[in-house]
Amino acid sequence: MDGKEVLWSKIVSDVSTCTRCVLHRYRTKPVPGEGPIDSRLLFIGEAPGQKEDEEGRPFVGPAGKLFVELLEVRGIRRSEVFITNVVRCRPPNNREPNDDEVLACSNYTLSIIKLVSPRILVTLGNHAGKFIFGLAGIKWVGVSRMRGRWFKVDLLGLKDVYLFPTYHPATALYNPNIKSVLDSDFNAIKELYISLTKNLIGRKASTLLDFIVGDRHQHEI
Ligand code: URA
């Protein structure tokens, strides 16, 4: 195991015995996250649902099915992206996690971001958006107003991370109008991801987006 794999095993093991918030009382299996620890694309969702709690894996229920479809119709395999949530144990009756629970789980969220060190970080829904944009020092004004825009930031010591907020895929399950918005947002994600993966010479390498917009953007681009 290399250093990164050792760190990931430690996170998985710490999550499995975690009692930092009340949600541990309700979990069947904790859901630390999954994917390649050197992926350039990191997705952060909200919380495990019933199926995730049974399997110990993120996004394997109905919202997960839609999420994987949004990726795979664009030629991005689930297995090439890293997926986690802002809380890692299922809230009772699928209620939303509260701020204290997101905060209690944040040591894992931060460790995962630093470990994966992604070029693109996509937040799915309000809970992930609020937490991650707060970390980046950007005021969160709700997913419907924030979504679909790129924010180039320095985050937790990582330079030039492209943050992209969008809706949680579950939203499209009860509001079909959201599906076309997600389609458009995932098109944007794919475009930058492809441009970054073609350009494998490192974090400082210029991307198509850098070329178009120049270097002046610390925040919204
Ligand atoms: N919704 C989430 O936010 N995360 C999951 O893992 C599953 C559903």
Side-chain angles (χ1 to χ4, degrees):
M1 274 209 282
D2 70 13
K4 274 194 151 206
E5 284 162 351
V6 172
L7 279 173
W8 175 234
S9 303
K10 169 95 171 79
I11 293 169
V12 172
S13 149
D14 289 351
V15 169
S16 73
T17 54
C18 184
T19 55
R20 294 172 74 107
C21 80
V22 292
L23 296 183
H24 79 276
R25 294 197 202 130
Y26 306 99
R27 72 178 172 229
T28 311
K29 289 186 180 170
V31 183
E34 70 179 23
I37 47 183
D38 57 356
S39 179
R40 296 186 153 222
L41 180 49
L42 170 63
F43 287 89
I44 304 194
E46 184 176 309
Q50 182 181 349
K51 195 118 197 320
E52 289 79 18
D53 177 68
E54 284 164 14
E55 293 192 22
R57 297 180 59 211
F59 284 98
V60 289
K65 227 174 134 204
L66 177 57
F67 170 69
V68 172
E69 182 193 310
L70 285 161
L71 288 177
E72 300 204 336
V73 296
R74 291 171 176 80
I76 303 172
R77 282 166 288 124
R78 176 191 170 108
S79 59
E80 70 191 86
V81 306
F82 200 97
I83 313 164
T84 191
N85 289 303
V86 283
V87 300
R88 294 172 178 76
C89 299
R90 181 191 181 199
N93 305 315
N94 289 352
R95 69 156 168 77
E96 295 184 19
N98 64 41
D99 288 347
D100 287 347
E101 291 155 357
V102 171
L103 197 63
C105 215
S106 63
N107 61 319
Y108 307 119
T109 311
L110 303 193
S111 298
I112 289 171
I113 295 170
K114 287 194 257 184
L115 177 71
V116 177
S117 180
R119 294 304 318 277
I120 301 175
L121 195 170
V122 179
T123 59
L124 302 169
N126 266 311
H127 290 280
K130 187 176 168 197
F131 178 71
I132 298 296
F133 278 78
L135 271 186
I138 299 172
K139 187 173 161 55
W140 181 255
V141 290
V143 67
S144 59
R145 290 173 66 193
M146 300 290 287
R147 60 142 286 276
R149 292 185 278 159
W150 290 105
F151 297 78
K152 188 176 176 184
V153 299
D154 294 343
L155 189 70
L156 304 172
L158 306 174
K159 282 203 71 65
D160 297 342
V161 178
Y162 292 95
L163 279 187
F164 189 82
T166 188
Y167 284 111
H168 193 289
T171 317
L173 299 179
Y174 52 84
N175 181 352
N177 297 331
I178 298 293
K179 174 63 169 52
S180 59
V181 181
L182 278 167
D183 275 325
S184 147
D185 286 357
F186 274 69
N187 284 343
I189 294 164
K190 176 201 164 175
E191 228 171 273
L192 183 59
Y193 177 62
I194 298 297
S195 131
L196 289 167
T197 40
K198 274 197 201 133
N199 187 344
L200 289 169
I201 43 183
R203 182 165 287 281
K204 279 198 185 300
S206 56
T207 64
L208 181 60
L209 204 64
D210 290 325
F211 182 73
I212 295 166
V213 299
D215 227 9
R216 65 205 136 87
H217 311 272
Q218 190 56 22
H219 281 347
E220 190 185 348
I221 54 180

